[in-house]
Amino acid sequence: MADYLVIVESPAKAKTIERYLGKKYKVKASMGHVRDLPKSQIGVDVEQNFEPKYITIRGKGSVLKELKTAAKKAKKVFLAADPDREGEAIAWHLAHSLDLDVNSDCRVVFNEITKDAIKESFKHPRSINKDLVDAQQARRVLDRLVGYKISPILWKKVKKGLSAGRVQSVAVRLIIDREKEIKAFVPEEYWSIDGQFLKGQKEFEASFYGVKGEKRELSSEEEVNSILKEISGNKFTVEKVTKKERKRNPAVPFTTSTLQQEAARKLNFRAKKTMMIAQQLYEGIDLGKDGTVGLITYMRTDSTRISETAQAEASSFINEKFGEEFLGAKTKTAKKNSNAQDAHEAIRPTSTLREPAVVKEFLSRDQFRLYKLIWERFVASQMASAVLDTMSVDLTNNGVLFRATGSKIKFPGFMKVYVEGSDDQVEERDRLLPDLKEGDEVFSKDIEPAQHFTQPPPRYTEARLVKTLEELGIGRPSTYAPTLDTIQKRGYVALDNKRFVPTELGEIVSELMMEFFPEIINVEFTANMESSLDEVEEGNIEWIKIIDDFYKDFSPRLEKAENEMEKIEIKDEPAGVDCEECGHPMVFKMGRFGKFMACSNFPDCRNTKPIVKDIGVQCPSCKEGTIVERKTKKRRIFYGCSRYPECEFLSWDKPVPRSCPKCNHMLVEKKLKKGVQVQCVECDYKEEQQK
């Protein structure tokens, strides 16, 4: 029998660690928590200082029995759960269940699952950090009080199956407030004038800037026509040429939040999927001859700190691969958020030398894509800034000023490896201008005015919502993915074209929360509560005081809601068609993935139908049906015949209501990076790309 027992959360992690520790160590998995508050009751004694009542989780009895048997035979037991509040709480519960001394040096923590990191961590075991445990316990008790006290009221007054929570309620409110902004938005007209200019045979673009050196905004067609009348002929003079050198710095390594945002932008991953795959990369991947290896550091962190060892390895790699000029001048770390806990490093590869191409054959497609993203972001963060030559040229004609801007990448620096994505901007690229000097003459080839209208603020994508929650100090790295999942499962919000829209149910529940529990849905209150939990972790405040202060105001609000909240009946919206199975009217329902049609005779009839949108194009296959927009189970849009299954025509690209002028076949809208282009499905016919 092994001398030492090590307990971790997952079998994958256990397998990786046991390989590094040798024969004297036996590593077993607890499969997550072994104790928790009961599901069937609140499990918190409000009268006795909010004492939590922990029980063995159903189904964990056999796991616990096996761990107890192994613990009795071992000389010493080490608890090696994840290095965060949750992991500390798991270790504390295991210690109690196995009758271990929580003050003994039984706790081992590591930020990465590599041989050196594991062996080093076992040289420095410590006792269980009770402040960390208390911070987690305070959060658990607080969320239990909110959820188990408010939810039954919502079930009684609105609908069964609803829930309330601190972070989820604020997230829903943000989505609803954004929708209100969009509905209240009044577009304002504005105009632009863009021109194509020639210098010799070289063509370039410039846009109207102002008159007689002063910038002017154009808000009407009359103003535009007035400007165009001022232009005399097509000859413009280069009045001013400004050349500058600009530096662009690399992004810092990933935190949990920024990883979720970038994976959504670049890989189209949901937050939940990103965290699931990151967990696999952290716990270990079988790399053939090299065995099972943890490829990234711990993925729940809000720190951008990097160890000196990792920096040195990255610098050596960059120097050898790209040359000394690509080395970053100094370590780059972002200004730490006041709410951030700096206990861990940023998310990075456990070894820079383990390039994505080297491990690709051992990874699934999604594992490879996420690992490549993490590896590239980290390596780029340790590289030199990019240098760009920028050029600005002012062109004048009778006092009317047009301005052209261009840039050229002089030294790529970190951009040779990676460029951070954005919801709003395009990646940096060369926009070259001809060699122009002051006094040169250029000629306008074409000057076109265009009318525009200001746009409302965009709806939240998962990436935008995670970023906003983090900026407001709402929740913690581990809460974002489950929060987004919960608000969709409860039917409070739905995804429309990858953007959150509130449902009627979400708006009703949010209004009730605003009326009866304003502090729960208040952004500032929730952020302050997170700060208070951090104070508990630092050992500055007793966790019971935090809960007691909250409950003093919360308790009377519960009583008021119970007595004064009116019962609300949510009526289904008629769909205007009858069920083909039983003849009852169909109604619109809101599910996790948006609206669908269901029979009003539910549960006797369970017929449901997707809502299809007719795009007004005749089916090119059967010539009888029309083309309708449909969605796959994964919410990807495609186009098919309304007579399906009789006609099986389908297209991923949207058909347009006219035929190809060259071959008379179907034309479709092809989505490109910068817009949409109409193309023929048979011949090489293409139309000008539309933004």
Side-chain angles (χ1 to χ4, degrees):
M1 185 67 193
D3 293 341
Y4 306 105
L5 174 66
V6 181
I7 303 175
V8 296
E9 302 99 309
S10 75
K13 193 174 173 183
K15 182 182 175 184
T16 311
I17 293 171
E18 190 168 75
R19 184 172 149 267
Y20 295 142
L21 291 176
K23 294 180 181 178
K24 288 189 176 182
Y25 292 83
K26 183 67 180 173
V27 186
K28 287 186 170 290
S30 69
M31 312 300 287
H33 278 278
V34 292
R35 295 199 311 170
D36 196 8
L37 299 171
K39 284 188 174 182
S40 58
Q41 53 183 277
I42 191 167
V44 177
D45 193 337
V46 177
E47 304 299 325
Q48 297 295 321
N49 283 333
F50 306 98
E51 184 68 27
K53 174 190 173 184
Y54 293 113
I55 62 168
T56 301
I57 296 171
R58 181 178 292 181
K60 289 295 181 75
S62 57
V63 175
L64 205 50
K65 184 179 178 182
E66 186 182 333
L67 293 177
K68 283 180 178 178
T69 302
K72 285 176 183 176
K73 294 178 181 177
K75 289 182 182 178
K76 188 171 181 62
V77 178
F78 292 102
L79 305 172
D82 287 343
D84 56 10
R85 290 177 187 169
E86 193 80 23
E88 207 70 18
I90 289 173
W92 183 72
H93 284 299
L94 281 167
H96 277 271
S97 298
L98 302 177
D99 295 323
L100 304 178
D101 182 2
V102 295
N103 296 313
S104 67
D105 55 351
C106 62
R107 179 79 169 113
V108 175
V109 291
F110 36 81
N111 194 49
E112 59 186 78
I113 303 178
T114 57
K115 189 172 184 177
D116 291 343
I118 298 297
K119 293 212 164 191
E120 184 63 26
S121 67
F122 275 83
K123 292 178 185 176
H124 308 285
R126 60 166 173 81
S127 60
I128 290 172
N129 186 327
K130 193 59 169 58
D131 291 332
L132 272 175
V133 174
D134 284 347
Q136 174 61 23
Q137 186 163 254
R139 177 187 290 280
R140 196 79 185 88
V141 169
L142 185 64
D143 289 344
R144 182 55 69 106
L145 288 172
V146 171
Y148 275 58
K149 291 287 188 179
I150 297 179
S151 296
I153 298 174
L154 294 176
W155 297 349
K156 194 186 299 181
K157 306 289 186 177
V158 186
K159 182 184 175 184
K160 281 191 176 181
L162 300 182
S163 68
R166 293 179 310 113
V167 179
Q168 74 175 56
S169 296
V170 174
V172 173
R173 182 188 170 186
L174 289 172
I175 293 166
I176 290 171
D177 286 349
R178 176 57 55 88
E179 198 67 19
K180 287 178 180 176
E181 283 182 66
I182 292 169
K183 287 177 180 176
F185 182 80
V186 180
E188 292 182 5
E189 180 185 14
Y190 71 97
W191 287 73
S192 64
I193 308 175
D194 296 322
Q196 295 290 327
F197 292 84
L198 289 171
K199 172 69 163 72
Q201 296 300 312
K202 292 186 177 178
E203 191 173 315
F204 64 98
E205 293 179 6
S207 299
F208 171 76
Y209 181 81
V211 177
K212 294 179 181 176
E214 291 187 9
K215 186 173 175 62
R216 182 183 293 184
E217 304 292 342
L218 301 174
S219 57
S220 69
E221 190 173 7
E222 289 74 20
E223 289 182 44
V224 171
N225 290 333
S226 173
I227 295 295
L228 294 176
K229 284 178 184 176
E230 292 294 318
I231 298 174
S232 175
N234 67 343
K235 187 189 293 183
F236 282 72
T237 304
V238 177
E239 185 178 80
K240 184 179 179 184
V241 177
T242 306
K243 292 183 178 180
K244 289 182 181 178
E245 190 177 88
R246 178 168 69 86
K247 279 192 174 182
R248 181 173 175 184
N249 298 322
V252 294
F254 283 128
T255 62
T256 304
S257 165
T258 54
L259 175 62
Q260 289 176 6
Q261 292 171 51
E262 193 75 338
R265 283 190 288 254
K266 289 197 168 183
L267 308 180
N268 201 24
F269 283 3
R270 305 283 297 279
K272 184 179 179 181
K273 180 176 181 176
T274 299
M275 296 310 291
M276 178 186 73
I277 296 170
Q279 182 93 31
Q280 295 164 2
L281 296 174
Y282 165 69
E283 290 185 346
I285 300 293
D286 188 347
L287 299 183
K289 288 190 297 182
D290 293 336
T292 305
V293 179
L295 293 184
I296 65 169
T297 54
Y298 192 52
M299 64 285 158
R300 292 189 180 91
T301 176
D302 43 19
S303 169
T304 57
R305 186 174 57 81
I306 294 295
S307 71
E308 290 182 6
T309 306
Q311 287 179 44
E313 185 186 64
S315 294
S316 175
F317 173 84
I318 293 163
N319 187 33
E320 187 176 325
K321 182 94 173 177
F322 303 106
E324 191 176 349
E325 68 273 22
F326 281 88
L327 283 171
K330 58 180 180 179
T331 304
K332 300 170 184 65
T333 53
K335 183 181 178 184
K336 193 158 79 79
N337 185 304
S338 58
N339 292 311
Q341 294 134 63
D342 208 35
H344 314 130
E345 285 188 65
I347 303 169
R348 61 167 176 82
T350 51
S351 173
T352 308
L353 305 180
R354 209 171 280 118
E355 295 181 67
V358 174
V359 297
K360 184 176 182 178
E361 63 178 297
F362 304 106
L363 304 178
S364 69
R365 179 175 180 268
D366 287 341
Q367 286 173 340
F368 170 73
R369 292 169 75 205
L370 191 66
Y371 178 68
K372 184 170 181 282
L373 192 70
I374 293 167
W375 186 92
E376 288 177 347
R377 171 82 164 223
F378 170 67
V379 171
S381 76
Q382 304 302 300
M383 294 176 73
S385 300
V387 180
L388 294 95
D389 280 334
T390 63
M391 185 176 178
S392 174
V393 179
D394 288 353
L395 314 172
T396 61
N397 176 312
N398 198 26
V400 178
L401 174 64
F402 277 68
R403 178 167 289 176
T405 56
S407 64
K408 182 181 179 182
I409 298 171
K410 183 178 181 181
F411 172 66
F414 73 92
M415 293 171 70
K416 202 168 183 70
V417 173
Y418 168 89
V419 178
E420 184 179 23
S422 168
D423 290 321
D424 308 305
Q425 298 170 344
V426 295
E427 291 185 4
E428 199 79 56
R429 60 185 179 84
D430 285 352
R431 294 188 296 274
L432 300 177
L433 294 177
D435 186 22
L436 295 166
K437 300 181 184 66
E438 291 179 10
D440 282 355
E441 289 183 346
V442 298
F443 297 89
S444 61
K445 180 183 174 185
D446 186 31
I447 292 180
E448 283 290 333
Q451 183 187 36
H452 309 276
F453 291 93
T454 53
Q455 297 296 310
R459 289 188 174 118
Y460 286 108
T461 58
E462 280 204 353
R464 282 184 190 273
L465 188 56
V466 165
K467 184 179 181 182
T468 303
L469 289 170
E470 183 187 39
E471 287 172 350
L472 294 172
I474 308 297
R476 282 294 174 263
S478 59
T479 65
Y480 298 134
T483 295
L484 301 188
D485 197 42
T486 299
I487 62 177
Q488 291 174 76
K489 281 183 176 176
R490 295 286 182 260
Y492 296 154
V493 301
L495 277 176
D496 180 17
N497 197 24
K498 299 180 185 175
R499 284 166 171 75
F500 286 115
V501 290
T503 64
E504 182 189 9
L505 179 62
E507 290 176 348
I508 288 169
V509 171
S510 189
E511 286 297 321
L512 291 174
M513 292 290 290
M514 185 77 78
E515 182 179 353
F516 292 97
F517 304 100
E519 71 281 4
I520 301 297
I521 211 163
N522 181 278
V523 171
E524 190 175 339
F525 172 85
T526 309
N528 289 339
M529 184 59 73
E530 295 292 352
S531 298
S532 297
L533 292 172
D534 292 344
E535 289 292 305
V536 174
E537 182 176 325
E538 296 297 323
N540 299 329
I541 306 177
E542 287 286 326
W543 75 270
I544 294 172
K545 184 179 185 315
I546 300 275
I547 306 299
D548 190 48
D549 289 346
F550 165 76
Y551 200 73
K552 282 175 184 173
D553 293 327
F554 183 59
S555 184
R557 290 193 184 280
L558 285 169
E559 190 175 338
K560 183 182 178 186
E562 185 73 56
N563 296 328
E564 297 180 16
M565 189 184 289
E566 293 182 9
K567 190 171 177 62
I568 295 172
E569 185 181 353
I570 302 175
K571 292 183 178 179
D572 293 319
E573 180 188 349
V577 294
D578 292 334
C579 174
E580 61 267 32
E581 292 187 11
C582 71
H584 281 75
M586 298 289 279
V587 293
F588 290 120
K589 293 276 188 182
M590 182 60 76
R592 185 181 177 188
F593 299 111
K595 270 189 174 181
F596 64 96
M597 284 192 284
C599 182
S600 59
N601 194 27
F602 179 86
D604 295 331
C605 177
R606 295 178 177 269
N607 182 30
T608 60
K609 290 169 66 176
I611 298 171
V612 293
K613 178 180 171 186
D614 194 318
I615 65 169
V617 178
Q618 185 185 51
C619 176
S621 179
C622 69
K623 307 294 184 184
E624 295 179 32
T626 55
I627 303 298
V628 294
E629 181 184 295
R630 299 181 185 273
K631 289 181 181 177
T632 66
K633 287 183 179 179
K634 293 188 176 181
R635 311 304 294 157
R636 185 179 173 188
I637 292 174
F638 70 98
Y639 301 89
C641 181
S642 59
R643 293 180 63 248
Y644 178 86
E646 286 83 6
C647 175
E648 296 185 348
F649 169 82
L650 67 85
S651 170
W652 290 114
D653 301 312
K654 184 178 180 179
V656 297
R658 50 196 169 87
S659 301
C660 174
K662 280 181 73 175
C663 69
N664 210 35
H665 278 88
M666 184 175 73
L667 293 176
V668 296
E669 290 182 356
K670 202 84 175 172
K671 286 187 177 178
L672 305 175
K673 278 189 177 180
K674 297 177 190 174
V676 174
Q677 186 175 56
V678 174
Q679 300 180 3
C680 179
V681 295
E682 287 292 327
C683 71
D684 59 357
Y685 176 78
K686 292 180 182 178
E687 295 182 2
E688 189 175 338
Q689 185 176 323
Q690 301 294 317
K691 288 186 180 180

